[in-house]
Amino acid sequence: MLITFQEAAQKLKAANKILITAHIQPDGDAIGSTLAAMQMLRSMGKTVQAFIDDTVRRNLHALPHFEEIRRPVEGEKFDADLLLVLDTSPDRIGNVPKLTAAPILNIDHHVTNTGEGYDLYVEKKAAATCELVFKLARELGAEITPEIATCIYTGIATDTGFFQFSNTRAETLAIASELINCGVSPHFISEQMEKKTLAEVCGLCDALNSLKIYFDGKVAGMTLNYETVKKFDSTEGFIDEIRVIDTVDVAFLLTEKAPNVCRVSMRSKGVDVSKIAAKLGGGGHIRAAGCTLYKNLADAEKILVSAIENALITY
């Protein structure tokens, strides 16, 4: 059920024991919003614990209080009166729902989130869920400390491609400016987020060697099998290397995470890739979206390319 911003704020204000989570395969916005909300709500005297049911890439470990995020353990329970789900719909949070029977409050900015069966505040024009956490802090009268500001800024910066993507609005930049006044060091965040291991840099070579061009140059894709993927911690940024090709509208990266489990990331300059992802069981933004295909790598590639072709025909 869709609710208003004020109703979402009131639910947070009324809760005393809160469990916070975000999506599996977490990015900067997922972790940034989780850590910022955790610190903000604790400052209001609430009992709060954050759980993420997945590994988190090393770049994000530098964020304040990252070490306090836990991963669910089989049979574990958490006494909560509210489950706060950030930056995703509740179907993408792994085993976290097994921890508690508390009602769900979902705060998100993805156009594919409909709010069926749970309370949802979604602001689709927001560049990042961290923008909404910033607004909640202001609404609830919570102090935005340098540590909270660092987490929020990280989410906004990474979801906007460091303010290069089309989702960057005047309000986005205004919030970023306020966060700098709160104590953020933009150079620290950019340096942390840009770090790559030697294995990851070498992995980019493997990815580029797999590059294929489709449909008269309108689509570019890279596929990485499991043996290649397991060599490095993250494929973050790989897709940006082919998104910039001048003729390309849609770029994709297809990675084999396990046998018959393939992760899709898509970027576009015009086509609404969130609709492609939604048809394949995923979601995301108009210009950046993803999904998981439970197929072998070859079949996953055929399904994905066909779905992109259909989107190009109707675009």
Side-chain angles (χ1 to χ4, degrees):
M1 181 178 70
L2 295 176
I3 63 174
T4 67
F5 176 76
Q6 286 72 27
E7 287 172 330
Q10 186 56 44
K11 287 180 181 293
L12 288 173
K13 192 173 182 179
N16 292 309
K17 297 179 180 179
I18 304 172
L19 190 160
I20 304 178
T21 192
H23 54 82
I24 56 174
Q25 297 180 312
D27 57 9
D29 194 26
I31 298 301
S33 59
T34 295
L35 289 172
M38 181 185 76
Q39 295 172 70
M40 173 187 76
L41 293 167
R42 283 180 178 174
S43 74
M44 297 170 62
K46 302 179 185 298
T47 300
V48 185
Q49 180 59 56
F51 287 87
I52 298 289
D53 192 19
D54 208 345
T55 56
V56 181
R57 60 187 177 93
R58 282 189 292 269
N59 307 60
L60 297 169
H61 293 199
L63 291 182
H65 299 277
F66 172 82
E67 70 282 355
E68 296 183 44
I69 294 178
R70 296 172 55 194
R71 189 165 185 176
V73 175
E74 185 67 32
E76 184 178 13
K77 298 294 180 183
F78 182 80
D79 181 22
D81 48 30
L82 186 68
L83 170 57
L84 175 60
V85 178
L86 297 170
D87 199 42
T88 185
S89 53
D91 60 336
R92 293 193 62 231
I93 58 174
N95 289 316
V96 172
K98 295 180 180 179
L99 294 168
T100 180
I104 293 173
L105 170 60
N106 188 194
I107 296 175
D108 194 11
H109 71 126
H110 291 99
V111 297
T112 49
N113 197 341
T114 60
E116 295 182 13
Y118 47 90
D119 288 330
L120 168 68
Y121 174 69
V122 60
E123 189 172 316
K124 297 175 182 179
K125 67 179 181 179
T129 298
C130 275
E131 279 193 16
L132 308 182
V133 174
F134 173 86
K135 293 179 182 180
L136 284 167
R138 290 287 193 240
E139 178 74 15
L140 296 169
E143 179 188 1
I144 299 180
T145 64
E147 291 186 329
I148 292 174
T150 295
C151 295
I152 294 175
Y153 185 97
T154 297
I156 294 173
T158 53
D159 254 25
T160 59
F162 284 85
F163 311 102
Q164 297 180 77
F165 296 164
S166 60
N167 59 348
T168 304
R169 303 165 297 138
E171 186 176 359
T172 306
L173 296 173
I175 291 173
S177 177
E178 285 197 54
L179 293 169
I180 292 172
N181 288 332
C182 290
V184 166
S185 297
H187 70 278
F188 168 78
I189 295 170
S190 63
E191 287 170 1
Q192 291 298 320
M193 295 305 108
E194 290 171 356
K195 282 182 179 178
K196 294 185 184 297
T197 64
L198 176 60
E200 287 165 357
V201 174
C202 293
L204 178 58
C205 296
D206 293 329
L208 291 173
N209 283 333
S210 75
L211 175 64
K212 293 181 183 179
I213 302 296
Y214 309 83
F215 312 123
D216 298 321
K218 294 178 182 178
V219 176
M222 299 184 293
T223 58
L224 296 176
N225 61 31
Y226 179 70
E227 290 302 315
T228 301
V229 170
K230 71 180 184 180
K231 293 178 184 177
F232 37 85
D233 177 57
S234 172
T235 57
E236 187 75 20
F238 283 15
I239 197 170
D240 296 321
E241 300 297 326
I242 61 172
R243 183 184 63 85
V244 297
I245 297 172
D246 57 356
T247 62
V248 167
D249 188 343
V250 179
F252 70 81
L253 174 65
L254 182 63
T255 56
E256 186 179 35
K257 297 295 186 180
N260 295 318
V261 180
C262 295
R263 172 66 183 169
V264 176
S265 294
M266 291 181 284
R267 301 289 184 272
S268 83
K269 298 171 186 172
V271 171
D272 185 347
V273 290
S274 72
K275 291 182 179 179
I276 301 173
K279 289 180 180 179
L280 297 175
H285 309 281
I286 293 174
R287 301 287 178 263
C291 61
T292 300
L293 297 175
Y294 296 94
K295 302 286 184 180
N296 64 52
L297 194 59
D299 287 344
E301 182 180 359
K302 290 176 184 177
I303 291 168
L304 176 61
V305 171
S306 176
I308 293 173
E309 181 181 22
N310 290 335
L312 287 172
I313 292 171
T314 58
Y315 174 60

